[in-house]
Coordinates of all heavy atoms in Angstrom, one line a residue:
R1 N 146.7 -88.3 88.4 CA 145.6 -88.4 87.5 C 146.0 -89.1 86.2 O 147.0 -88.8 85.6 CB 145.0 -87.1 87.2 CG 144.5 -86.3 88.4 CD 144.0 -85.0 88.0 NE 142.5 -85.2 88.1 CZ 141.7 -84.3 87.7 NH1 142.0 -83.2 87.2 NH2 140.4 -84.5 87.8
K2 N 145.1 -90.0 85.7 CA 145.3 -90.6 84.4 C 144.5 -90.0 83.3 O 143.3 -89.7 83.5 CB 145.0 -92.1 84.5 CG 145.8 -92.9 85.5 CD 145.4 -94.3 85.6 CE 146.3 -95.0 86.6 NZ 145.9 -96.4 86.8
P3 N 145.1 -89.6 82.2 CA 144.4 -89.0 81.1 C 143.3 -90.0 80.6 O 143.6 -91.1 80.3 CB 145.4 -88.7 80.0 CG 146.7 -88.9 80.7 CD 146.5 -89.8 81.9
I4 N 142.1 -89.5 80.4 CA 141.0 -90.3 79.8 C 140.5 -89.4 78.6 O 140.1 -88.3 78.8 CB 139.9 -90.5 80.8 CG1 140.4 -91.3 82.0 CG2 138.7 -91.2 80.1 CD1 139.4 -91.5 83.1
I5 N 140.7 -90.0 77.4 CA 140.3 -89.3 76.2 C 139.0 -89.9 75.8 O 138.9 -91.1 75.5 CB 141.4 -89.5 75.1 CG1 142.8 -89.2 75.6 CG2 141.0 -88.6 73.9 CD1 143.0 -87.8 76.1
E6 N 137.9 -89.1 75.7 CA 136.6 -89.7 75.4 C 135.7 -88.8 74.6 O 136.2 -87.7 74.2 CB 135.9 -90.1 76.7 CG 135.6 -89.0 77.6 CD 135.0 -89.5 79.0 OE1 134.7 -90.7 79.1 OE2 134.8 -88.6 79.8
K7 N 134.5 -89.2 74.4 CA 133.6 -88.5 73.5 C 134.0 -88.6 72.1 O 134.3 -89.7 71.6 CB 133.3 -87.0 73.9 CG 133.0 -86.9 75.4 CD 131.6 -87.3 75.7 CE 131.4 -87.0 77.2 NZ 130.3 -87.7 77.7
A8 N 134.2 -87.5 71.4 CA 134.6 -87.5 70.0 C 135.8 -86.6 69.8 O 135.9 -85.8 68.9 CB 133.5 -87.1 69.1
L9 N 136.8 -86.7 70.7 CA 138.0 -85.8 70.6 C 139.0 -86.3 69.6 O 139.1 -87.4 69.3 CB 138.7 -85.8 72.0 CG 137.9 -85.1 73.1 CD1 138.7 -85.3 74.4 CD2 137.6 -83.7 72.9
H10 N 139.7 -85.3 69.0 CA 140.7 -85.6 68.0 C 142.0 -84.9 68.5 O 141.9 -83.7 69.0 CB 140.3 -85.0 66.6 CG 139.0 -85.5 66.1 ND1 139.0 -86.7 65.4 CD2 137.8 -85.1 66.2 CE1 137.7 -87.0 65.1 NE2 136.9 -86.0 65.6
G11 N 143.1 -85.5 68.4 CA 144.3 -84.8 68.8 C 145.6 -85.7 68.6 O 145.5 -86.8 68.2
I12 N 146.7 -85.1 69.0 CA 148.0 -85.7 69.0 C 148.6 -85.6 70.4 O 148.6 -84.5 71.0 CB 148.9 -85.0 68.0 CG1 148.3 -85.1 66.6 CG2 150.3 -85.6 68.0 CD1 149.1 -84.3 65.6
L13 N 149.1 -86.7 70.9 CA 149.7 -86.8 72.2 C 151.2 -87.1 72.0 O 151.5 -88.1 71.3 CB 149.1 -87.9 73.1 CG 147.6 -87.7 73.4 CD1 147.1 -88.9 74.1 CD2 147.3 -86.5 74.2
L14 N 152.1 -86.3 72.5 CA 153.5 -86.4 72.3 C 154.2 -86.7 73.7 O 154.0 -86.0 74.6 CB 154.1 -85.1 71.7 CG 153.5 -84.6 70.4 CD1 154.1 -83.3 70.1 CD2 153.7 -85.6 69.3
Y15 N 155.0 -87.8 73.7 CA 155.8 -88.1 74.9 C 157.2 -88.4 74.5 O 157.5 -89.0 73.5 CB 155.2 -89.4 75.5 CG 153.8 -89.3 76.0 CD1 152.7 -89.6 75.2 CD2 153.6 -88.7 77.2 CE1 151.4 -89.4 75.6 CE2 152.3 -88.5 77.7 CZ 151.2 -88.9 76.9 OH 149.9 -88.7 77.3
D16 N 158.2 -87.8 75.2 CA 159.6 -88.0 75.0 C 160.3 -87.9 76.3 O 159.7 -87.8 77.3 CB 160.1 -87.0 73.9 CG 160.0 -85.6 74.3 OD1 159.6 -85.3 75.4 OD2 160.4 -84.7 73.5
G17 N 161.7 -87.9 76.2 CA 162.5 -87.8 77.4 C 162.2 -89.0 78.2 O 162.3 -90.2 77.7
Y18 N 162.0 -88.8 79.5 CA 161.7 -90.0 80.4 C 160.3 -90.0 80.9 O 160.0 -90.4 82.0 CB 162.7 -89.9 81.6 CG 164.1 -90.2 81.2 CD1 165.0 -89.2 80.8 CD2 164.6 -91.5 81.1 CE1 166.3 -89.4 80.4 CE2 165.9 -91.8 80.7 CZ 166.7 -90.8 80.4 OH 168.0 -91.0 80.0
S19 N 159.4 -89.5 80.1 CA 157.9 -89.5 80.4 C 157.4 -90.9 80.6 O 157.8 -91.9 80.0 CB 157.1 -88.9 79.3 OG 157.5 -87.6 79.0
V20 N 156.5 -91.0 81.6 CA 155.7 -92.3 81.8 C 154.3 -91.9 81.9 O 153.9 -91.0 82.7 CB 156.2 -93.0 83.1 CG1 155.4 -94.2 83.3 CG2 157.7 -93.4 83.0
E21 N 153.4 -92.6 81.2 CA 152.0 -92.3 81.2 C 151.1 -93.5 81.0 O 151.5 -94.5 80.3 CB 151.7 -91.3 80.0 CG 150.4 -90.6 80.2 CD 150.2 -89.7 81.4 OE1 150.7 -88.6 81.4 OE2 149.7 -90.2 82.4
D22 N 149.9 -93.4 81.5 CA 148.9 -94.5 81.4 C 147.7 -93.8 80.9 O 147.1 -92.9 81.5 CB 148.6 -95.1 82.8 CG 147.9 -96.3 82.8 OD1 147.5 -96.8 81.7 OD2 147.6 -96.9 83.9
I23 N 147.3 -94.1 79.6 CA 146.2 -93.4 78.9 C 145.0 -94.3 78.6 O 145.2 -95.4 78.3 CB 146.7 -92.8 77.6 CG1 148.0 -92.0 77.8 CG2 145.7 -92.0 76.9 CD1 148.7 -91.8 76.5
Y24 N 143.8 -93.8 78.8 CA 142.6 -94.5 78.4 C 141.9 -93.7 77.3 O 141.6 -92.5 77.5 CB 141.7 -94.6 79.6 CG 142.2 -95.4 80.7 CD1 143.1 -94.9 81.7 CD2 142.0 -96.8 80.8 CE1 143.6 -95.7 82.7 CE2 142.5 -97.6 81.8 CZ 143.4 -97.0 82.7 OH 143.9 -97.8 83.7
I25 N 141.6 -94.4 76.2 CA 140.9 -93.8 75.1 C 139.7 -94.6 74.7 O 139.7 -95.8 74.6 CB 141.9 -93.7 73.9 CG1 143.2 -93.0 74.2 CG2 141.2 -93.1 72.7 CD1 144.2 -93.0 73.2
R26 N 138.6 -93.9 74.5 CA 137.3 -94.6 74.3 C 136.4 -93.7 73.4 O 136.7 -92.6 73.1 CB 136.6 -95.0 75.5 CG 136.3 -93.9 76.5 CD 135.8 -94.4 77.8 NE 134.9 -93.5 78.4 CZ 134.2 -93.7 79.4 NH1 134.2 -94.9 80.0 NH2 133.3 -92.9 79.9
H27 N 135.2 -94.2 73.1 CA 134.2 -93.6 72.3 C 134.7 -93.4 70.9 O 135.4 -94.2 70.3 CB 133.6 -92.3 73.0 CG 133.0 -92.6 74.3 ND1 133.2 -91.8 75.3 CD2 132.2 -93.6 74.7 CE1 132.6 -92.2 76.4 NE2 132.0 -93.3 76.1
D28 N 134.3 -92.3 70.3 CA 134.7 -92.1 68.9 C 135.9 -91.2 68.7 O 135.9 -90.3 67.8 CB 133.4 -91.4 68.2 CG 132.3 -92.4 68.1 OD1 132.5 -93.5 67.7 OD2 131.2 -92.0 68.5
C29 N 136.9 -91.3 69.5 CA 138.1 -90.5 69.5 C 138.9 -90.9 68.3 O 138.9 -92.0 67.8 CB 138.9 -90.6 70.8 SG 138.0 -90.0 72.2
D30 N 139.7 -89.9 67.8 CA 140.7 -90.1 66.7 C 142.0 -89.5 67.2 O 142.1 -88.3 67.2 CB 140.2 -89.5 65.5 CG 141.0 -89.8 64.3 OD1 141.9 -90.7 64.4 OD2 140.8 -89.3 63.2
V31 N 142.9 -90.4 67.7 CA 144.1 -89.9 68.4 C 145.4 -90.5 67.8 O 145.4 -91.6 67.4 CB 144.0 -90.3 69.9 CG1 145.2 -89.8 70.6 CG2 142.8 -89.7 70.5
V32 N 146.4 -89.6 67.7 CA 147.7 -90.1 67.3 C 148.6 -89.9 68.6 O 148.6 -88.9 69.2 CB 148.3 -89.2 66.2 CG1 149.8 -89.6 65.9 CG2 147.5 -89.3 64.9
I33 N 149.4 -91.0 68.9 CA 150.2 -91.0 70.0 C 151.7 -91.2 69.5 O 151.9 -92.2 68.9 CB 149.9 -92.1 71.1 CG1 148.4 -91.9 71.5 CG2 150.8 -92.1 72.2 CD1 147.9 -93.0 72.3
D34 N 152.5 -90.2 69.8 CA 153.9 -90.3 69.3 C 154.8 -90.4 70.5 O 154.9 -89.5 71.4 CB 154.2 -89.0 68.6 CG 155.4 -89.1 67.7 OD1 156.1 -90.0 67.7 OD2 155.5 -88.1 66.8
V35 N 155.6 -91.5 70.6 CA 156.4 -91.8 71.8 C 157.9 -91.9 71.3 O 158.2 -92.8 70.4 CB 156.0 -93.2 72.5 CG1 156.9 -93.5 73.6 CG2 154.5 -93.1 72.9
N36 N 158.8 -91.1 71.9 CA 160.2 -91.1 71.5 C 161.0 -91.0 72.8 O 160.5 -91.0 73.9 CB 160.5 -89.9 70.6 CG 159.9 -90.1 69.3 OD1 160.4 -90.9 68.5 ND2 158.8 -89.3 69.0
G37 N 162.3 -90.9 72.6 CA 163.3 -90.8 73.7 C 163.3 -92.1 74.5 O 163.2 -93.2 73.9
C38 N 163.2 -92.0 75.8 CA 163.1 -93.1 76.7 C 161.7 -93.2 77.4 O 161.6 -93.8 78.4 CB 164.2 -93.0 77.8 SG 165.8 -93.2 77.1
A39 N 160.7 -92.6 76.8 CA 159.4 -92.6 77.3 C 158.8 -94.0 77.4 O 159.1 -94.8 76.5 CB 158.5 -91.6 76.5
K40 N 157.9 -94.2 78.3 CA 157.2 -95.5 78.4 C 155.7 -95.1 78.6 O 155.3 -94.4 79.5 CB 157.6 -96.3 79.6 CG 157.0 -97.7 79.7 CD 157.5 -98.4 80.9 CE 158.8 -99.0 80.6 NZ 159.3 -100.0 81.7
V41 N 154.8 -95.6 77.6 CA 153.4 -95.3 77.6 C 152.6 -96.5 77.5 O 152.8 -97.4 76.7 CB 153.1 -94.3 76.4 CG1 151.7 -94.0 76.4 CG2 154.0 -93.0 76.5
F42 N 151.5 -96.6 78.4 CA 150.6 -97.7 78.4 C 149.2 -97.1 77.9 O 148.7 -96.1 78.4 CB 150.4 -98.2 79.8 CG 151.7 -98.7 80.4 CD1 152.5 -97.9 81.1 CD2 152.0 -100.1 80.2 CE1 153.7 -98.3 81.6 CE2 153.2 -100.5 80.8 CZ 154.1 -99.7 81.4
V43 N 148.7 -97.7 76.8 CA 147.5 -97.2 76.2 C 146.4 -98.3 76.3 O 146.6 -99.4 75.8 CB 147.7 -96.8 74.7 CG1 146.5 -96.2 74.1 CG2 148.9 -95.9 74.6
T44 N 145.2 -97.9 76.8 CA 144.1 -98.8 76.9 C 143.0 -98.2 76.0 O 142.6 -97.1 76.2 CB 143.6 -99.0 78.3 OG1 144.7 -99.5 79.1 CG2 142.5 -100.1 78.4
V45 N 142.5 -99.0 75.0 CA 141.6 -98.5 74.0 C 140.2 -99.3 74.1 O 140.2 -100.5 74.2 CB 142.2 -98.7 72.6 CG1 141.2 -98.1 71.6 CG2 143.5 -98.1 72.5
Y46 N 139.1 -98.5 74.1 CA 137.8 -99.1 74.2 C 136.9 -98.6 73.1 O 137.2 -97.6 72.5 CB 137.1 -98.7 75.6 CG 137.8 -99.1 76.8 CD1 138.7 -98.3 77.4 CD2 137.5 -100.3 77.4 CE1 139.4 -98.7 78.6 CE2 138.2 -100.7 78.6 CZ 139.1 -99.9 79.2 OH 139.7 -100.3 80.3
D47 N 135.7 -99.2 73.0 CA 134.6 -98.7 72.2 C 135.1 -98.5 70.7 O 135.7 -99.4 70.2 CB 134.0 -97.4 72.7 CG 133.5 -97.6 74.2 OD1 133.0 -98.7 74.5 OD2 133.6 -96.7 74.9
R48 N 134.8 -97.5 70.1 CA 135.0 -97.3 68.7 C 136.2 -96.3 68.4 O 136.3 -95.7 67.4 CB 133.8 -96.7 68.0 CG 132.6 -97.6 68.1 CD 131.3 -96.9 67.9 NE 131.1 -95.7 68.8 CZ 130.6 -95.7 70.0 NH1 130.4 -96.9 70.6 NH2 130.5 -94.6 70.8
A49 N 137.1 -96.3 69.3 CA 138.3 -95.3 69.2 C 139.2 -95.7 68.0 O 139.3 -96.9 67.7 CB 139.1 -95.3 70.5
N50 N 139.7 -94.7 67.4 CA 140.7 -94.9 66.3 C 142.0 -94.3 66.8 O 142.1 -93.1 67.0 CB 140.2 -94.1 65.1 CG 141.0 -94.3 63.9 OD1 141.9 -95.2 63.9 ND2 140.8 -93.5 62.8
V51 N 143.0 -95.2 66.9 CA 144.3 -94.7 67.5 C 145.4 -95.1 66.6 O 145.5 -96.3 66.1 CB 144.5 -95.4 68.9 CG1 145.8 -95.0 69.5 CG2 143.3 -95.0 69.8
K52 N 146.3 -94.2 66.4 CA 147.6 -94.5 65.7 C 148.7 -94.2 66.6 O 148.8 -93.2 67.2 CB 147.7 -93.6 64.4 CG 148.9 -93.9 63.6 CD 149.0 -93.1 62.3 CE 150.1 -93.6 61.5 NZ 150.1 -92.9 60.2
V53 N 149.6 -95.3 66.8 CA 150.7 -95.2 67.8 C 152.0 -95.2 67.0 O 152.2 -96.2 66.2 CB 150.6 -96.3 68.8 CG1 151.8 -96.2 69.8 CG2 149.3 -96.3 69.5
R54 N 152.8 -94.2 67.2 CA 154.2 -94.2 66.6 C 155.2 -94.3 67.6 O 155.2 -93.5 68.5 CB 154.3 -92.9 65.7 CG 153.3 -92.8 64.6 CD 153.5 -91.7 63.7 NE 153.3 -90.4 64.4 CZ 152.8 -89.3 63.8 NH1 152.3 -89.4 62.6 NH2 152.6 -88.2 64.5
Q55 N 156.1 -95.2 67.5 CA 157.2 -95.4 68.5 C 158.5 -95.1 67.8 O 158.8 -95.5 66.6 CB 157.2 -96.9 69.0 CG 158.3 -97.2 70.0 CD 159.6 -97.7 69.3 OE1 159.6 -98.1 68.1 NE2 160.7 -97.5 70.0
G56 N 159.4 -94.4 68.5 CA 160.7 -94.1 67.9 C 161.8 -94.1 69.1 O 161.4 -94.1 70.2
G57 N 163.0 -94.1 68.7 CA 164.1 -94.1 69.7 C 164.0 -95.3 70.6 O 163.7 -96.4 70.1
M58 N 164.2 -95.1 71.9 CA 164.2 -96.2 72.9 C 162.8 -96.2 73.6 O 162.6 -96.9 74.6 CB 165.3 -96.0 73.9 CG 166.7 -96.2 73.3 SD 168.1 -95.9 74.4 CE 167.6 -96.8 75.9
G59 N 161.8 -95.4 73.1 CA 160.5 -95.4 73.7 C 159.9 -96.7 73.7 O 160.1 -97.6 72.8
R60 N 159.0 -97.0 74.7 CA 158.3 -98.3 74.8 C 156.8 -97.9 74.8 O 156.4 -97.0 75.6 CB 158.7 -99.0 76.1 CG 160.2 -99.4 76.2 CD 160.6 -100.4 75.2 NE 159.9 -101.6 75.5 CZ 159.8 -102.7 74.7 NH1 160.3 -102.6 73.5 NH2 159.1 -103.7 75.0
V61 N 156.0 -98.7 74.1 CA 154.6 -98.5 74.0 C 153.9 -99.8 74.2 O 154.2 -100.8 73.5 CB 154.1 -97.8 72.7 CG1 152.6 -97.5 72.8 CG2 155.0 -96.6 72.4
Y62 N 152.9 -99.9 75.1 CA 152.1 -101.1 75.3 C 150.6 -100.7 75.1 O 150.1 -99.8 75.7 CB 152.3 -101.6 76.7 CG 153.7 -101.9 77.1 CD1 154.5 -100.8 77.6 CD2 154.3 -103.1 76.8 CE1 155.9 -101.1 77.8 CE2 155.6 -103.4 77.1 CZ 156.4 -102.4 77.6 OH 157.7 -102.6 77.9
V63 N 150.0 -101.4 74.1 CA 148.6 -101.1 73.8 C 147.7 -102.2 74.2 O 148.0 -103.4 73.9 CB 148.4 -100.8 72.3 CG1 146.9 -100.5 71.9 CG2 149.3 -99.6 71.9
Y64 N 146.6 -102.0 74.9 CA 145.6 -103.0 75.3 C 144.3 -102.6 74.6 O 143.7 -101.7 75.0 CB 145.5 -103.0 76.8 CG 146.8 -103.2 77.5 CD1 147.6 -102.1 77.9 CD2 147.3 -104.5 77.7 CE1 148.8 -102.3 78.5 CE2 148.5 -104.7 78.3 CZ 149.3 -103.6 78.7 OH 150.5 -103.9 79.3
K65 N 144.0 -103.5 73.6 CA 142.8 -103.2 72.8 C 141.6 -104.1 73.5 O 141.7 -105.3 73.5 CB 143.0 -103.7 71.4 CG 141.9 -103.4 70.5 CD 142.3 -103.8 69.0 CE 141.1 -103.8 68.1 NZ 141.4 -104.3 66.8
N66 N 140.6 -103.4 73.9 CA 139.5 -104.1 74.6 C 138.2 -104.3 73.9 O 137.2 -104.7 74.4 CB 139.1 -103.2 75.9 CG 140.2 -103.4 76.9 OD1 140.3 -104.5 77.6 ND2 141.0 -102.4 77.1
D67 N 138.2 -104.0 72.6 CA 137.0 -104.2 71.8 C 137.3 -104.3 70.3 O 138.2 -103.7 69.8 CB 136.1 -102.9 72.0 CG 134.7 -103.0 71.6 OD1 134.5 -103.5 70.5 OD2 133.8 -102.6 72.4
D68 N 136.5 -105.2 69.6 CA 136.8 -105.4 68.2 C 136.4 -104.2 67.4 O 136.8 -104.0 66.2 CB 136.0 -106.6 67.7 CG 136.6 -107.9 68.2 OD1 137.8 -107.9 68.5 OD2 135.8 -108.9 68.3
S69 N 135.7 -103.2 67.9 CA 135.3 -102.0 67.2 C 136.4 -101.0 67.2 O 136.3 -100.0 66.5 CB 134.0 -101.5 67.7 OG 134.1 -101.0 69.0
C70 N 137.4 -101.2 68.0 CA 138.6 -100.2 68.0 C 139.4 -100.5 66.8 O 139.6 -101.6 66.3 CB 139.4 -100.5 69.2 SG 138.6 -100.4 70.8
I71 N 140.0 -99.4 66.3 CA 141.0 -99.5 65.2 C 142.3 -98.9 65.8 O 142.4 -97.8 66.2 CB 140.6 -98.6 64.0 CG1 139.3 -99.1 63.4 CG2 141.7 -98.6 62.9 CD1 138.7 -98.3 62.4
V72 N 143.4 -99.8 65.8 CA 144.7 -99.4 66.3 C 145.7 -99.7 65.2 O 145.8 -100.8 64.7 CB 145.0 -100.2 67.5 CG1 146.4 -99.8 68.0 CG2 144.0 -100.0 68.6
E73 N 146.4 -98.6 64.8 CA 147.5 -98.7 63.8 C 148.8 -98.5 64.5 O 148.8 -97.6 65.4 CB 147.4 -97.7 62.7 CG 146.1 -97.9 61.8 CD 146.1 -96.7 60.8 OE1 147.1 -96.4 60.2 OE2 145.0 -96.2 60.6
T74 N 149.9 -99.2 64.2 CA 151.1 -99.0 64.9 C 152.3 -98.8 63.9 O 152.2 -99.3 62.8 CB 151.5 -100.2 65.8 OG1 151.6 -101.3 65.0 CG2 150.4 -100.4 66.8
E75 N 153.3 -98.0 64.3 CA 154.5 -97.8 63.6 C 155.6 -98.0 64.6 O 155.6 -97.4 65.7 CB 154.6 -96.4 63.0 CG 153.7 -96.1 61.8 CD 153.9 -94.7 61.3 OE1 154.9 -94.1 61.6 OE2 153.0 -94.2 60.7
G76 N 156.7 -98.8 64.2 CA 157.8 -99.0 65.2 C 157.5 -100.2 66.0 O 156.6 -101.0 65.8
S77 N 158.2 -100.3 67.2 CA 158.1 -101.4 68.1 C 157.0 -101.1 69.1 O 157.3 -100.5 70.1 CB 159.5 -101.6 68.7 OG 159.4 -102.7 69.6
V78 N 155.8 -101.6 68.9 CA 154.7 -101.4 69.8 C 154.2 -102.8 70.2 O 153.9 -103.7 69.4 CB 153.6 -100.7 69.1 CG1 152.3 -100.5 70.0 CG2 154.0 -99.3 68.7
T79 N 154.0 -103.0 71.5 CA 153.5 -104.3 72.0 C 152.0 -104.2 72.1 O 151.5 -103.2 72.8 CB 154.1 -104.6 73.4 OG1 155.5 -104.7 73.3 CG2 153.5 -105.9 74.0
M80 N 151.3 -105.1 71.5 CA 149.8 -105.0 71.4 C 149.2 -106.3 72.1 O 149.6 -107.4 71.8 CB 149.3 -104.9 70.0 CG 147.8 -104.9 69.9 SD 147.2 -103.3 69.5 CE 147.4 -103.3 67.7
R81 N 148.2 -106.0 72.9 CA 147.5 -107.1 73.5 C 146.0 -106.9 73.3 O 145.5 -105.8 73.4 CB 147.7 -107.2 75.1 CG 149.1 -107.3 75.5 CD 149.5 -108.7 75.7 NE 150.7 -108.8 76.5 CZ 151.9 -108.9 75.9 NH1 152.0 -108.9 74.6 NH2 153.0 -109.1 76.6
E82 N 145.3 -108.0 72.9 CA 143.8 -107.9 72.7 C 143.1 -108.6 73.8 O 143.4 -109.7 74.1 CB 143.5 -108.4 71.3 CG 144.0 -107.6 70.2 CD 143.4 -107.9 68.9 OE1 142.2 -108.3 68.8 OE2 144.1 -107.8 67.9
R83 N 142.1 -107.9 74.4 CA 141.3 -108.5 75.4 C 139.9 -108.7 74.9 O 139.3 -107.8 74.4 CB 141.2 -107.6 76.7 CG 142.6 -107.4 77.3 CD 142.4 -106.5 78.5 NE 143.7 -106.3 79.1 CZ 144.0 -105.3 79.9 NH1 143.2 -104.3 80.1 NH2 145.2 -105.2 80.4
K84 N 139.4 -109.9 75.0 CA 138.1 -110.3 74.5 C 137.1 -110.1 75.5 O 137.3 -110.2 76.7 CB 138.1 -111.7 74.0 CG 139.1 -112.0 72.9 CD 138.7 -111.2 71.6 CE 139.8 -111.5 70.5 NZ 139.6 -110.6 69.4
S85 N 135.8 -109.8 75.1 CA 134.7 -109.6 76.1 C 134.6 -110.9 76.9 O 134.6 -112.0 76.4 CB 133.4 -109.3 75.4 OG 133.6 -108.2 74.5
G86 N 134.3 -110.7 78.2 CA 134.1 -111.8 79.1 C 135.4 -112.5 79.5 O 135.3 -113.5 80.2
A87 N 136.5 -112.0 79.1 CA 137.8 -112.7 79.5 C 138.4 -112.1 80.7 O 138.1 -111.0 81.1 CB 138.8 -112.6 78.3

């Protein structure tokens, strides 16, 4: 199962060790994602979501922003891709 964070949820997601995760965040969520150790996390952001991604250690984070109404802040080495509507 892939985590889907939606509606108006607020929270902190922590990944470390050798965790691997694929996360979908949408609607009016306000989420902090903290990735450390050797974890690898893929984050897809939609709608009006507000996401802050913090990368540390050897962790790898890939963010796919699918809407201009999303707000994504990053700390550390985070790979960000923007997908435009109709592309």
Side-chain angles (χ1 to χ4, degrees):
R1 300 182 101 186
K2 296 180 182 178
I4 299 174
I5 313 299
E6 59 184 357
K7 308 287 185 202
L9 294 176
H10 302 273
I12 299 173
L13 302 173
L14 305 173
Y15 296 94
D16 63 3
Y18 289 93
S19 301
V20 176
E21 193 65 81
D22 194 0
I23 307 166
Y24 294 87
I25 302 174
R26 61 188 210 172
H27 299 138
D28 296 309
C29 293
D30 189 7
V31 178
V32 175
I33 302 171
D34 200 347
V35 180
N36 288 289
C38 293
K40 185 180 280 189
V41 178
F42 301 87
V43 183
T44 304
V45 184
Y46 299 93
D47 304 325
R48 298 161 307 278
N50 183 12
V51 180
K52 182 172 186 176
V53 180
R54 298 187 293 219
Q55 178 273 338
M58 293 175 47
R60 302 289 298 161
V61 186
Y62 303 89
V63 177
Y64 302 93
K65 184 177 172 185
N66 284 287
D67 195 312
D68 288 335
S69 65
C70 304
I71 298 171
V72 179
E73 297 177 43
T74 63
E75 289 180 20
S77 179
V78 176
T79 300
M80 176 110 81
R81 302 266 194 269
E82 294 195 31
R83 296 180 181 158
K84 300 296 179 188
S85 303

